[in-house]
Amino acid sequence: MEDKEYNSGGFMRLVSEESCSSTVTDELCVNNYQTEIFNQLPSSLARRRSLNYHQDRGTTETSHPVEKYPGLAGEARDKATTQPIRSLPVCMQRKREARDLRHLQTDTVGRWESWKRNQSINRKRLGEQVGEAMARLLPWSSILHTIEGRFGVGVKAYFVFLRYLLYLNLLLCLVIGGTILIPTAVYDSNGDRGLLRFEGNDSVLDFFVGSGFLERSPVFYGFYARSSLDLLCLNTPLLFLLGTLTVLILSLVMVVRRTVVGYKHTWLLGNRYNIHMSYKVFCGWDFCIQDPEVADLKRSFIRNELKLYLEEERFQQREARRTLGQWAHLYSLRGLLHFLVLVLLGGAFCLIYYATMASKAERNGDYLILRLLLHYLPPIVITLVNFFLPHVFRHISSFEDYSLTTQVNATLVRSIFLKLASLGIYLFFLLPNSQQECWENQFGKEMYKLSVFDFLACFCNTFFIAYPRKWFVDRYPSSWLARLSGKQHFLIPFNVLDLVYSQTVTWVGLFYCPMLPFIETVKLMAVFYIKKLTVLQFCVPAQRMFRASSSSVLFHFMLLLGLIMAVITLGITLHQFEPSSSCGPFVGSATVFNVTAVCVDSLPGPAQSTLRYLSSEAFVLPLILAQIVVLTSFESRRRANGKAIERLKDMLVMSTSDKHFLLKQHTLSLRRQKKTFKAPTTVSGTREGSSTTMKDPSAGIGEDSHIAQLKDPSA
């Protein structure tokens, strides 16, 4: 009689063949064996060590419920899910268990509670379906999918950012239209004023300069005046100020929210949570794809992801092999290049100053082209500086030996500083000229010219530079000029900076040119199709990819910097300069904010006291205390979520160890079965005349190691 040995909790148990002959005994053997295997799992051993550690110290273990009771994980998912059982991505047995569990929950609670739970589930399903329908209604989804497949996630991030700015400007148009344009059109006391009034001296030049018929239109500040809507707390000046402040506050909330959400996703999906290459290779394909074109796009997308991963791994290995001398040489080179960047920025600012002074000294001549050139001299200089210097910064960053993502971010930071600083210097030299008659219109004209010339630069760059370059390289590929210029790539940092610059100009000129959000909306739609043509027809995919997660956060952070700059500029102009006495809705007011004081004085006493308290320094202390309490609660939630994430990571590691252990046990059991099958053959060979039989050395070694492992659970 051959006995089998099992180890359970340090004791040896002998199980004979007779004791395992019945079905009941077979089930007991299987259950005992499963219990023994479960006790030997690395996760069980780690849990017992943690429990013993807390018992020795006299403390209680506070772990996650899923860690204590792994069987509850599936039940918790089934309780929390709002999906129909038919659409659950599990096997049929799990669907039956989920159905029985839901029936059990319905039976254990009352009818009223069951009805409320069903209604809550139905509302959640309806919300999910509406969200999916709205996601399908997003414009340009197929175009973005095509761009992502051919050029990677980075180029797609640019177009997603452009679409976000388009949505933002559409929202701003609704606010401006509801607070400024519609009340002005409805309550206009001068009925003879039309939206567009043409006179004999108007010309085509007025469309580019902003004078003539455009100056007499709702595009600029001077068109708006006190109308028949002239109540104390409901009048045109108050609505004008309210619309501007609402636009700025709404823009701030949306940009900050997008930046914070992007940073949270970047932090969660950062370097600590990198997806391994094996996942991309074995789990990255979507087997529901049937269209060959979609399959090619998906294949290109996976290839781009693998190229990005390999590029990052290669840079990390090269960085780890650097010596101390190489680091010292690299830091000295980076310091020299930083000094060169500062010199270039100083030269660009001086050039903008001289262009602004030359534009101020403009003389009225008879030459239309010369007058147009003098009008557009500062925008031309700013555009040329912003076009050439970022390319210089890109080549400088290539010598600093950063990773590709860091090179892109460094170029972005330097270029956005150049763009915002050049715009700020231009506005600084423009402000002293604001003492003339109806200076608000002059300031609005400058912002209008910057916006128009930015679009003209984009149009000319595509059809007069990118298209001839593409044609020449394809027609004469072997010429030295074609080899020198090379194939064109879509430079993400520079195109993103153009969007940030354009949106900053819109925010700065919003008060003096209320129609700028409408102009920006039309311009963004045209820019989208121009850039789509540029990417798909004139550009080739880059050889080196970069990760777009951190750069997307940087896009919105730069947009936030542009908004802060616009708010500072508007605050300075509205606070330091009195409203013009010849045009605008604030004629006769010492400051723009006097209209709010008149409205507050007309309110009842309690309302006046409340508003004055909210605007005084006494309200600052409770506001700061409330902010501290809210920030403390969010910090506590962040720490708790961090601990939960660490526990889930440990559970994933232990589940992987359990899989390895079970695979090893399965291999040992297969070897044991092979040995059992070989035993009758060996016995028959002995009866025919063989005196001795040799055992399989590999099987013996495997069985001995298995018995040793069973005796020692820590192994």
Side-chain angles (χ1 to χ4, degrees), residues 209-269:
V209 178
S211 59
F213 67 94
L214 278 182
E215 192 173 5
R216 297 184 295 270
S217 67
V219 175
F220 294 107
Y221 170 90
F223 175 83
Y224 304 93
R226 284 185 176 269
S227 58
S228 58
L229 183 64
D230 197 9
L231 303 177
L232 291 177
C233 287
L234 187 60
N235 49 61
T236 302
L238 190 60
L239 290 176
F240 200 92
L241 182 62
L242 178 64
T244 305
L245 294 179
T246 304
V247 163
L248 295 177
I249 293 174
L250 190 62
S251 301
L252 180 64
V253 170
M254 292 189 65
V255 173
V256 169
R257 178 184 175 276
R258 191 70 176 241
T259 306
V260 171
V261 171
Y263 176 76
K264 180 179 66 175
H265 290 170
T266 303
W267 182 78
L268 289 176
L269 301 176

Side-chain angles (χ1 to χ4, degrees), residues 189 282 289 428 451 481:
S189 58
F282 296 105
I289 295 177
F428 175 76
S451 180
L481 186 58

Side-chain angles (χ1 to χ4, degrees), residues 197-206 212-213 216:
R197 291 179 297 161
F198 295 94
E199 296 180 358
N201 56 351
D202 295 338
S203 63
V204 182
L205 181 63
D206 296 334
F213 67 94
R216 297 184 295 270

Side-chain angles (χ1 to χ4, degrees), residues 43-57 59-63 67:
S43 58
S44 302
L45 297 176
R47 194 178 297 110
R48 284 202 298 269
R49 284 196 297 266
S50 177
L51 182 61
N52 295 333
Y53 173 76
H54 287 285
Q55 288 178 354
D56 294 339
R57 297 189 60 181
T59 59
T60 58
E61 182 184 7
T62 58
S63 59
E67 295 180 30

Side-chain angles (χ1 to χ4, degrees), residues 515-561:
M515 294 290 288
L516 266 183
F518 295 88
I519 299 173
E520 184 69 14
T521 301
V522 176
K523 187 174 78 171
L524 286 175
M525 293 184 66
V527 166
F528 181 89
Y529 289 102
I530 290 175
K531 294 300 180 181
K532 172 203 166 186
L533 177 67
T534 303
V535 169
L536 297 179
Q537 301 296 329
F538 304 151
C539 296
V540 295
Q543 297 297 324
R544 300 174 64 189
M545 300 290 173
F546 78 101
R547 197 170 299 278
S549 56
S550 60
S551 298
S552 299
V553 177
L554 191 58
F555 296 167
H556 295 91
F557 181 72
M558 291 186 301
L559 192 63
L560 181 61
L561 291 180

Side-chain angles (χ1 to χ4, degrees), residues 285-465:
W285 186 255
D286 186 3
F287 289 94
C288 297
I289 295 177
Q290 298 180 358
D291 190 0
E293 295 182 358
V294 178
D296 293 338
L297 291 176
K298 186 67 176 178
R299 190 181 302 111
S300 302
F301 174 72
I302 296 176
R303 182 174 63 249
N304 293 334
E305 288 289 325
L306 294 178
K307 288 169 60 177
L308 171 61
Y309 182 82
L310 293 175
E311 181 68 27
E312 291 178 350
E313 289 292 330
R314 190 182 302 112
F315 176 78
Q316 291 176 2
Q317 293 177 2
R318 188 174 72 252
E319 191 178 27
R321 290 194 297 266
R322 288 175 184 165
T323 61
L324 182 60
Q326 291 175 347
W327 279 110
H329 179 266
L330 182 60
Y331 279 120
S332 61
L333 178 61
R334 288 176 180 176
L336 182 62
L337 293 176
H338 286 326
F339 178 74
L340 179 60
V341 169
L342 293 177
V343 171
L344 292 174
L345 289 175
F349 297 155
C350 292
L351 192 61
I352 293 171
Y353 166 74
Y354 287 117
T356 307
M357 294 297 105
S359 178
K360 285 183 177 182
E362 171 192 352
R363 296 180 177 85
N364 293 328
D366 297 330
Y367 297 100
L368 183 63
I369 302 299
L370 182 60
R371 288 172 52 196
L372 183 63
L373 182 63
L374 289 175
H375 274 294
Y376 274 94
L377 185 59
I380 288 174
V381 172
I382 292 175
T383 303
L384 291 177
V385 166
N386 293 334
F387 179 77
F388 287 106
L389 279 189
H391 290 277
V392 178
F393 294 157
R394 181 171 64 90
H395 290 291
I396 288 176
S397 64
S398 63
F399 289 101
E400 293 176 333
D401 200 8
Y402 291 117
S403 65
L404 183 60
T405 305
T406 308
Q407 289 180 21
V408 172
N409 292 337
T411 306
L412 278 172
V413 171
R414 290 166 179 170
S415 302
I416 194 59
F417 179 77
L418 169 68
K419 293 219 170 199
L420 296 182
S422 60
L423 181 61
I425 289 176
Y426 175 60
L427 295 175
F428 175 76
F429 292 121
L430 190 66
L431 288 180
N433 197 26
S434 57
Q435 300 297 331
Q436 57 186 353
E437 182 180 358
C438 199
W439 62 269
E440 293 91 350
N441 269 14
Q442 301 300 323
F443 193 88
K445 288 179 185 178
E446 298 299 329
M447 297 300 103
Y448 174 80
K449 287 189 290 186
L450 287 176
S451 180
V452 170
F453 192 79
D454 181 70
F455 175 73
L456 293 177
C458 175
F459 183 84
C460 295
N461 183 35
T462 300
F463 293 100
F464 296 105
I465 296 179

Side-chain angles (χ1 to χ4, degrees), residues 587-629:
V587 174
S589 301
T591 61
V592 172
F593 302 101
N594 278 356
V595 293
T596 59
V598 173
C599 178
V600 171
D601 293 337
S602 65
L603 295 176
Q608 292 185 26
S609 303
T610 303
L611 291 176
R612 287 194 173 95
Y613 172 73
L614 293 177
S615 60
S616 63
E617 293 83 0
F619 181 68
V620 175
L621 181 60
L623 182 62
I624 293 177
L625 292 178
Q627 290 178 351
I628 291 175
V629 171

